[in-house]
Every structure is written in structure tokens, then in C-alpha cells.
Amino acid sequence: MALLLTDYADIVDDLGEEAAVVLEANWHEAARIFSKRGLEAYLEGARSLKSLGRGVDLVFSFIEAAPHVAREIGEQAVFEMLSTAIRMFSKTSAEVLVLFFSTAPIVAQRLGEIELFRGYLLLLDQLLAQAPRGVRPMLGKIEVLLEQMTLGGLRRWANWGISAYRNDFTAQAEFFGLETPQALAVLQQEHRGVLFVDVQRRLNMYLRALWGRDFFLRPTSGDFESRTGYRPYVEEYFIFVPDAYDDVVLGADKIPALEVYRAAAAHAAAHVVESHFDTRFELATPLKRLWIGVLEDARVETLAGQKFPGLLPLWARLSRTQAVLEPTSEARLGALAERAAYALLDASYSDDHPLVELVRSRFPEILAAAEDPYAVITRVAEELAEQSKALGLEFSAQKDQPTSPYRDDNRVLWTAAAQGSAVDILSGGQPQVRKYVNIMEMINAVDVEFAGDDAQEIWILATEFFDDDGNSLNAREGKEPVAQPVSYSEWDYQTQLERPLWTTVYEKRPKMGDPKEIDTLLEQHKPLVQKIGKMIEAIQPQGVVRTRKVEDGDDIDINAAILAMTDIRMGQQPDPRIGIRTRLHIRDLSVTLLIDLSESTNDKLRSRSEGDVTVLQLAREAAALLAGALDRIGDPFMLCGFDSNGRHDVEFYTFKSFEAPYDDKVKGRLAGMTGKLSTRMGAALRHTGHLMEQYPSQKKLLILLTDGEPADNDVRDPQYLRFDTKRAVEELARKGIRTFCLSLDPYADEYVSRIFGQRNYLVLDHVDSLPLKLPQLYVSMTKS
């Protein structure tokens, strides 16, 4: 059903007649691109900008720019752009904000990826803090800059200007406006050969012409501090290539950057067509993975070369690296791998090293094994690894990697595609089918009466089906499918590397309890509920806040100006603080309470007069009181819990999502909470952060309630999961999610501060004070 502008008449009235005309002109495009929730956030964003009181041009520019940004890189980018503008509000003028919005579609088109767009927004934040006079001229030249530089190059160029003209405001404006020779010289230094955005369409058509199917290309940015880009990679059937390539010089041969792009895209596409994840590769050592990569790269290139012979000379040309051009007998293993890879592409290449000869002699066996080539690749890679050790060759997983500019990192071989996502459809997989049948089909032909969430086909009756005992099967066993399992990386502090897709999180359906238990609990704590209600009423309301008696304000305080003029005429020193600063206070906050539901929460406490209670009961009381407080405030909130049984089984329960109302169903889930298994905290935090990212809000707060340190039954090193949890907290912080830990472990001080930071944790010495402390803590953290 089409969404009409008349459905949002109240917002249109608040925007005024002029803005309503602009909105109506852009409504068709916005309604086509945005989801319903995104459309509502788009309109609310326009209304928020109107309430800033900085003129109608600011609202016009946002209304016009937002649909174009959403079309290029998704609607989430619009909300992040709006959040950045609100942060910029008190630091810059309305003209700069108008310029920021009007240039955002150009930036989104040139960058082509939301992660790169986020990097651009962070660069603007840095520039406003360190060189504010450079923001306006840079935005005026942003199209010229991004036509010649990648995001990494733009940041290096901006950092040069910041460091050179930190205290010279005039020079700042000239540099960032490209008016000085220094600015042009640094721009020329950072200029790249070919940008991905300029050749993306040609590459898509090139791959489609070869394989007769569509491939999905995305850019990935190189390191901000160096000119080195990331290697291409394939992830969930998307091909990621560097956002820019320079011309490649190998000996006397100069290969144009466009040819490098074609070679990289064709090589990655060959992996998409021919390669797949195999469990035999998952536990391979780094040395063995090196040889698996060499053999699989050669296999897919040979198969592609049989169909398209013109690709082989292109790949061979780019494989003639320095190791091939100048072979030495004392080469490192990485150089020998490059020589072996080139030997498999060029039959005329002569190399008498035993490893190269061994690779050449075994490769025909791999091509001949059409049914299961990975079995032969595994065996040959083991033989090559043993031979490498026998020859005493030096090997480092970081240093000895192929330097060929077009080859990907082969992560497609080591990581399984996420289940239940769009990947299944892209790769030809079959999503779960829900089929309506009649009563006789259900009785006579159904295979599994109580199918699980992973069933390929679910049969549904149009009416209730009653069993012999008079209860319907829907009431007894019927259930909607839960989200598919999600895999996350995990940090290994000993190797200082991430273990890709190491843990698996399963969203489970919470057990239902009696919601009357929660109502009874709230009745028992009625004085406490009233106390929390008073704290809520004291929270600062949202709206426009005016601060008087400031020197540099947005408006002039007439009364203060008259008093200052009176002082001047009387020959006295006037008070220079005659300004009024206006800022918009918007309570745009979403919060999640994540509860540790491990076995230790069943431990009993003896500190209450009413008898034995468990940590889990206290956690339930605290969650109920906090949920009541949040429901009264109006802040969107989510209630979750987790436990784990090893890295492959992290159970995650959602008692209340952001969109769901706080009703008896939620209370029943809280009443049905149980404690079991272990505490793999990092995976649970990452999954919670993934869910919170999908909800648009300016501020995000995650409160973790736990009674112990991270632990699991498949981890013996106590430091391993601590460092992984610390890493997860840092990842959430980079996404704009603040994490606070409320620990019930009296000995937690020695590790919890290192994980969450000095100001982001609280250890309760008296656990039975938790139901009071948690709502108080939330109110104190969010009242400003």
C-alpha cells in the first residue's frame, strides 16, 4: 500500500508551508526508497531540524538530500548523517550544515558504501574539532577532492592541513579551499590512478559478459595512514575490491590500473563460481593455508581460463612479482609460494626449486579430481607443508603472504556463509517455505508434526487442528520461526588476531511464565516503584534550551545589551556576556539490558529477611523495575538474556524488542527466566550490538548485568574470554554504543575495570540492593 503525505499531516503542519512544498516535491522519491519506519524517521528528522530555529534552508537541504543518500547507500546512512548534523549544530553555522546536506549525495555516490560514508562523517567531526575554519571550504570542493582521492587519501590530505595550519585560521580556509600551492601539491601526492566508483559499472558489465550472471561488487577502503589498500576478498557472495588502484610496475612492464581491476574482479568472480567453504580447511594451520590458497587460486584460474582463455595472460602478467623476476635460493616461503603460483600459470617458466617442482607435479591430480578436488588439495597442502618444514624455510603468517596485487585473501575458503540471509537466495539456496494445506493433507502426508525452526517446509492449516485431548496443536506446539544462527569473530589475545566466524549465536524462544508473578512483585515493592517514579519526573525534558549570559551566542539578549550600553555611557566596564546560545535537547536514546543467565545465577543469597532468594530472582526484580521505569519515561528499550555451551552454541533470548510493547507477554517471559550453562560474554555483546545498530537513535546504551567473569566450558585460559570481551566492548564503542557493566561479583574489581573502563562499571557489594540500584543507575546516566 502506498504511503501518502497526507498520513503525516501533523508533521507537515509543523514544518510550515514552504517546507511542505519542498517535501511534496520529493515525496514520491522518498516513499519509493525508504521503508515505513525510515520514512517516519525522515520526517521526524526534518521536524527536528525545523525546531533548531536556524532557517528554512537547513530543512530544505535535508529534505532534498536524504532520498538521494538513501538510494545510493541505504537509509541507515541518512540517520547517521542526521545524527552528525545534530552534533555539528553547536559547533558551526547553519550555512555549513546546509552545505553538508547538499553535498552528501555526491559523497555517497563517490564512496558507494556505508562504511566509507561513516568514515567521512568521522573525518568531519575531527575537522570541526581541530580545524573548524576548513570545513566550509572543504565541503565546497568535496566533489573535486573525491574525484581524485579515496577516503583514505582525503583524510591524509586533511590531516596535513590540520597539522600545518592548526593556529592560522586564514591559511586553514585557503588550504581546504584548494587555493594554495601546498594544497594542490598534497592533492597531487594523494591522487590515485583509477577510483572504483568510476569503473564499477564497467566491471559489472565485464563480469556479466564473461559468466552470464550478476555479481555484487563493493569498495573497501585502504589504510588511512598509508597508501596501501586492503586485498580483495569475497564475503557472503559480495566481492570487495580496493576503492582505488594505481598503475602497477613489475620490472619493465607497466600494467594500467583498469587492467588490475579487471584481473582482481575476474579472479574473485572465479572464486564465487568455483570455490566454497569446506570444513577440512577450517582448522588448517597458517602454513597449510598458504599452500591451500596457492592451489585453489590456480585451480579456479585454470577452470576460468579453459572457458575464457584471454584471462590467463592477464593473470600471468600480474603474477610476475619481484619474487618471480629475481628468484633466489634463500627465499622466504612467501616468495616461493608466488613462484609456485606463477609456475602453474606459465608452463614456460623454469624454476628448479623442489617446492615449485612438487607443486607442478601434483597440480594435475587436483584438476583430475572433479568430484572432490578439496580432498586432493588438503593432501597436497599437507605434503607441501611438511616439505617446507623439512627444508627449514622461514615462515610468518603476517609477512609471508602473496604480494600479487589482484589476488584475494581466500577467506571464502575458511568462513561459512551466514545462514538464513540474502546470501541463500543469491547463491541459489532455498529459503524456508510456508505452505497452506487442507486437513487431509495434514493428516495423511505430513512427515514431521512438530517441525523445528530449520525445517525446509512448514505446513499451515487455515483452521485450528485439535488433538485427542482437546488442545490445539498451535496452542501446544505452534510457533513462528526464530532468526537464523549468526556467526561472529572472536579475538585471540595471544596471536593478536581475530578468529573469523568463531562463535555461533542462536536466538532461542524464551519460556513463558506467569505474568502475575511480576505484577505481584511490583505490588510488593510499591514504595520503591513510587520512589523511582519521582526520579523519572525529575529527568530534564526535551526541547529547545536557551543559555543566557554567553559571549559568543546565536542571538543577542536585549536586556543584557541595554545594561551594557548603560555601563558604557556611565564610564564603567560593561559585561561582554550579552549573547543567548540556543541548543536542541532531544532525548533520542535507546537502551538494552543484557542479563547473564548462566548456571551461577541459581545460587542462593541469605541476606534478605524474607528467606532464601537467588541471584536470578533479584535480576528478574531489577529487570521488571527498570522496564517499568523505561516504559514511563518513553525511551525505547530491549530486554535480553544469554548463556552458552561452548563456542558453537551461544543461546540468546529476547524478552522484549524495541518495537514490542511492555505488556503481559513480556512479563511472562521475565517470569520464565532460567539460569543454566556458561557465560561467553563477547559473542553475546556483539549480537546485542548488531540488534541495537538496526534501531535508529542518536545515543545507544547497553547495560550488562552479570554475576561473574566471562567463562565457557571449552576455554581453559581465564584471560582469553576477558580479552575477547574487552575487544567486543571496543567494537561497540566504535559503533556509538556505550557499554556499562553492573557486576554482582564482589571480586570483580580486579578484571572488570580492564574490560569496560574505569567509569563504565559498578560492583554491588550488597547484591540484594540490585532492584533499587539498577533503575537509579539508569536515571543518573541518562538524565542529561
Side-chain angles (χ1 to χ4, degrees):
M1 185 177 68
L3 296 172
L4 304 177
L5 187 57
T6 53
D7 297 337
Y8 305 95
D10 55 336
I11 299 180
V12 175
D13 292 341
D14 291 342
L15 291 176
E17 293 184 5
E18 294 179 330
V21 173
V22 178
L23 183 60
E24 186 174 359
N26 290 272
W27 182 254
H28 176 73
E29 181 74 4
R32 184 177 65 85
I33 293 171
F34 285 103
S35 63
K36 182 179 180 181
R37 194 180 73 178
L39 204 59
E40 293 171 354
Y42 166 60
L43 295 173
E44 288 292 345
R47 181 157 64 178
S48 298
L49 293 173
K50 177 68 163 53
S51 66
L52 295 177
R54 290 289 188 93
V56 293
D57 288 343
L58 180 61
V59 183
F60 293 170
S61 60
F62 172 75
I63 292 174
E64 293 172 346
H68 298 287
V69 173
R71 182 185 62 208
E72 293 292 341
I73 52 178
E75 65 180 35
Q76 182 61 35
V78 174
F79 310 140
E80 299 196 15
M81 176 180 70
L82 183 61
S83 298
T84 300
I86 292 175
R87 290 197 304 270
M88 295 170 63
F89 167 71
S90 61
K91 302 175 184 177
T92 189
S93 64
E95 289 79 8
V96 173
L97 291 176
V98 170
L99 195 57
F100 166 66
F101 283 132
S102 60
T103 56
I106 298 172
V107 175
Q109 181 185 21
R110 296 300 302 177
L111 296 180
E113 179 70 15
I114 188 170
E115 289 298 329
L116 303 185
F117 190 73
R118 288 181 180 130
Y120 168 73
L121 298 180
L122 290 175
L123 174 59
L124 288 182
D125 283 341
Q126 178 191 0
L127 201 58
L128 270 175
Q130 300 181 11
R133 299 294 177 89
V135 176
R136 185 199 300 263
M138 191 188 81
L139 290 174
K141 298 290 185 180
I142 195 66
E143 185 173 8
V144 176
L145 293 170
L146 290 179
E147 281 179 351
Q148 303 184 54
M149 292 188 293
T150 63
L151 176 62
L154 179 65
R155 180 163 175 171
R156 288 187 295 272
W157 177 81
N159 284 338
W160 197 97
I162 291 171
S163 61
Y165 307 113
R166 188 180 300 274
N167 299 317
D168 189 342
F169 296 150
T170 303
Q172 275 183 21
E174 293 175 349
F175 178 88
F176 286 97
L178 290 178
E179 297 175 3
T180 65
Q182 291 86 352
L184 295 174
V186 179
L187 173 63
Q188 184 61 33
Q189 179 183 344
E190 297 298 339
H191 175 72
R192 300 300 298 268
V194 174
L195 302 185
F196 171 78
V197 67
D198 294 326
V199 297
Q200 181 179 9
R201 180 175 176 82
R202 268 192 278 179
L203 292 175
N204 279 323
M205 298 299 292
Y206 177 66
L207 297 181
R208 184 186 299 173
L210 289 175
W211 274 279
R213 54 174 283 188
D214 286 323
F215 293 87
F216 303 89
L217 294 171
R218 296 288 184 271
T220 177
S221 179
D223 181 18
F224 285 141
E225 306 306 329
S226 70
R227 289 175 62 84
T228 305
Y230 296 140
R231 294 173 63 188
Y233 63 92
V234 178
E235 189 171 76
E236 294 192 350
Y237 296 90
F238 286 91
I239 297 173
F240 289 84
V241 294
D243 53 2
Y245 268 126
D246 291 320
D247 294 344
V248 174
V249 179
L250 296 173
D253 190 11
K254 183 178 180 180
I255 301 144
L258 181 58
E259 293 296 298
V260 183
Y261 262 124
R262 286 175 176 163
H267 178 83
H271 273 303
V272 173
V273 174
E274 303 291 348
S275 300
H276 59 84
F277 167 74
D278 193 283
T279 55
R280 288 170 288 195
F281 296 161
E282 190 176 16
L283 299 179
T285 63
L287 176 57
K288 187 176 173 182
R289 284 191 176 192
L290 174 68
W291 290 114
I292 290 173
V294 170
L295 296 170
E296 177 63 5
D297 283 343
R299 186 183 76 88
V300 299
E301 287 181 350
T302 302
L303 294 176
Q306 292 171 355
K307 299 177 182 177
F308 319 111
L311 289 175
L312 291 177
L314 175 62
W315 286 329
R317 189 181 176 193
L318 282 163
S319 295
R320 298 181 74 245
T321 60
Q322 195 68 24
V324 176
L325 294 172
E326 299 179 3
T328 60
S329 58
E330 298 179 356
R332 293 184 62 93
L333 197 54
L336 285 169
E338 292 181 23
R339 288 158 57 179
Y342 183 71
L344 295 178
L345 274 174
D346 187 353
S348 63
Y349 173 64
S350 177
D351 194 318
D352 58 357
H353 195 281
L355 279 177
V356 178
E357 292 180 347
L358 181 60
V359 170
R360 262 183 167 166
S361 64
R362 297 290 187 270
F363 187 64
E365 301 177 25
I366 298 172
L367 294 179
E371 294 295 328
D372 188 8
Y374 288 169
V376 183
I377 287 178
T378 303
R379 175 172 54 80
V380 175
E382 289 177 355
E383 186 178 355
L384 288 166
E386 292 175 0
Q387 182 72 5
S388 302
K389 293 177 182 178
L391 293 173
L393 295 171
E394 295 184 19
F395 174 71
S396 168
Q398 286 75 33
K399 296 179 181 178
D400 292 310
Q401 292 296 330
T403 59
S404 179
Y406 76 93
R407 282 202 166 105
D408 63 301
D409 62 4
N410 284 322
R411 71 179 64 179
V412 68
L413 303 176
W414 329 126
T415 56
Q419 300 179 10
S421 64
V423 175
D424 296 329
I425 300 174
L426 293 176
S427 60
Q430 295 296 321
Q432 188 181 79
V433 176
R434 301 177 72 79
K435 178 181 178 182
Y436 287 85
V437 297
N438 59 44
I439 185 68
M440 296 311 297
E441 286 179 299
M442 178 66 78
I443 294 175
N444 296 327
V446 69
D447 292 327
V448 183
E449 294 181 39
F450 309 117
D453 299 326
D454 58 346
Q456 294 181 354
E457 189 172 276
I458 301 294
W459 285 16
I460 304 171
L461 281 175
T463 59
E464 291 279 350
F465 184 87
F466 290 91
D467 207 343
D468 296 336
D469 58 3
N471 295 321
S472 72
L473 294 186
N474 284 340
R476 197 173 74 184
E477 297 288 345
K479 52 188 179 182
E480 293 295 323
V482 182
Q484 294 289 340
V486 184
S487 296
Y488 294 96
S489 301
E490 196 165 76
W491 179 254
D492 186 344
Y493 78 99
Q494 292 181 331
T495 62
Q496 292 294 295
L497 294 171
E498 280 191 345
R499 294 179 170 182
L501 302 183
W502 191 250
T503 60
T504 305
V505 177
Y506 293 87
E507 289 201 34
K508 298 294 184 70
R509 187 171 288 99
K511 294 181 180 179
M512 290 296 295
D514 188 356
K516 293 181 180 178
E517 293 182 13
I518 304 299
D519 293 331
T520 304
L521 185 151
L522 295 175
E523 184 65 28
Q524 292 174 352
H525 295 82
K526 194 171 184 178
L528 183 56
V529 173
Q530 293 175 349
K531 184 176 181 179
I532 295 172
K534 292 180 181 178
M535 289 191 295
I536 293 170
E537 292 171 359
I539 291 180
Q540 183 180 351
Q542 63 181 9
V544 177
V545 179
R546 293 180 173 85
T547 305
R548 298 180 181 273
K549 296 186 75 64
V550 295
E551 291 190 25
D552 184 16
D554 304 310
D555 298 304
I556 295 177
D557 187 341
I558 300 299
N559 294 331
I562 293 173
L563 291 175
M565 289 300 298
T566 303
D567 290 340
I568 292 173
R569 293 188 177 184
M570 293 179 64
Q572 298 178 2
Q573 178 67 31
D575 187 347
R577 298 174 297 172
I578 62 171
I580 299 177
R581 182 173 298 158
T582 305
R583 63 186 179 90
L584 182 64
H585 180 80
I586 300 177
R587 191 176 175 81
D588 187 10
L589 170 72
S590 59
V591 62
T592 297
L593 175 63
L594 180 62
I595 305 172
D596 172 10
L597 298 177
S598 58
E599 179 65 33
S600 57
T601 58
N602 295 319
D603 295 343
K604 293 184 178 181
L605 305 172
R606 298 185 180 273
S607 55
R608 281 198 170 185
S609 58
E610 60 265 27
D612 292 345
V613 294
T614 64
V615 174
L616 183 64
Q617 288 174 300
L618 291 177
R620 183 185 294 115
E621 292 180 17
L625 291 173
L626 178 64
L630 292 169
D631 195 46
R632 266 182 87 171
I633 295 174
D635 289 340
F637 66 100
M638 181 167 61
L639 302 175
C640 304
F642 74 97
D643 56 55
S644 64
N645 185 25
R647 70 183 182 94
H648 290 302
D649 187 13
V650 181
E651 298 180 338
F652 193 90
Y653 303 92
T654 302
F655 304 115
K656 180 194 175 300
S657 63
F658 285 119
E659 296 82 5
Y662 181 55
D663 52 15
D664 285 346
K665 184 179 292 186
V666 176
K667 293 178 182 178
R669 292 169 181 164
L670 290 176
M673 283 196 314
T674 57
K676 58 180 181 178
L677 304 175
S678 302
T679 315
R680 205 173 197 101
M681 203 173 285
L685 288 172
R686 289 183 178 92
H687 189 64
T688 307
H690 169 70
L691 297 178
M692 295 182 73
E693 271 193 299
Q694 300 174 23
Y695 190 84
S697 62
Q698 182 181 356
K699 296 180 180 178
K700 295 179 172 68
L701 172 64
L702 194 163
I703 301 177
L704 172 65
L705 176 60
T706 179
D707 69 329
E709 63 180 313
D712 211 341
N713 55 26
D714 60 349
V715 177
R716 295 185 178 181
D717 182 359
Q719 296 295 330
Y720 175 81
L721 289 179
R722 291 183 186 180
F723 277 97
D724 174 62
T725 304
K726 183 177 185 295
R727 181 80 171 190
V729 171
E730 293 169 353
E731 292 171 5
L732 293 178
R734 287 195 292 269
K735 296 176 181 179
I737 301 174
R738 181 186 177 186
T739 307
F740 191 93
C741 178
L742 189 58
S743 179
L744 309 180
D745 180 5
Y747 305 104
D749 298 86
E750 62 186 37
Y751 62 83
V752 73
S753 62
R754 293 197 297 271
I755 295 176
F756 295 94
Q758 290 291 339
R759 298 184 179 180
N760 294 319
Y761 78 96
L762 178 65
V763 178
L764 286 185
D765 295 326
H766 300 285
V767 182
D768 55 359
S769 64
L770 173 65
L772 172 62
K773 287 291 186 182
L774 184 55
Q776 285 181 339
L777 172 68
Y778 172 76
V779 171
S780 65
M781 290 175 65
T782 62
K783 65 182 177 182
S784 52

